[in-house]
Amino acid sequence: MDRPVTPSWRKPAGMLLIVAIIILWAMLVASLSGVVGQWHWVLQLGFYVVAGIVWITPMKPLLRWMEGGRR
């Protein structure tokens, strides 16, 4: 007989943490819009492309922790 699997608290906690990271990152990037808005459009494009990708960096360890508990 299979033992029932108890749900892990890590997945809901991790999902909330992911949402919090995205919100904080968006607030940080938005707070820089006054300065970035004065740049040439090519520099703005580069900044927002990089800012749109960089937030993914902490997600891999967080997702690994959510799945298996390893850091």
Side-chain angles (χ1 to χ4, degrees), residues 2-19:
D2 293 329
R3 282 178 43 192
V5 177
T6 57
S8 172
W9 60 271
R10 290 174 190 255
K11 287 189 180 183
M15 287 188 284
L16 289 174
L17 193 53
I18 288 171
V19 171

Side-chain angles (χ1 to χ4, degrees), residues 14-63:
M15 287 188 284
L16 289 174
L17 193 53
I18 288 171
V19 171
I21 289 169
I22 292 171
I23 290 170
L24 290 172
W25 185 252
M27 289 172 54
L28 174 68
V29 171
S31 72
L32 296 173
S33 67
V35 175
V36 176
Q38 298 175 4
W39 299 353
H40 188 272
W41 71 268
V42 174
L43 294 175
Q44 289 182 42
L45 177 66
F47 172 79
Y48 287 116
V49 166
V50 170
I53 294 171
V54 167
W55 70 270
I56 297 170
T57 305
M59 294 303 139
K60 186 174 181 180
L62 178 57
L63 290 170

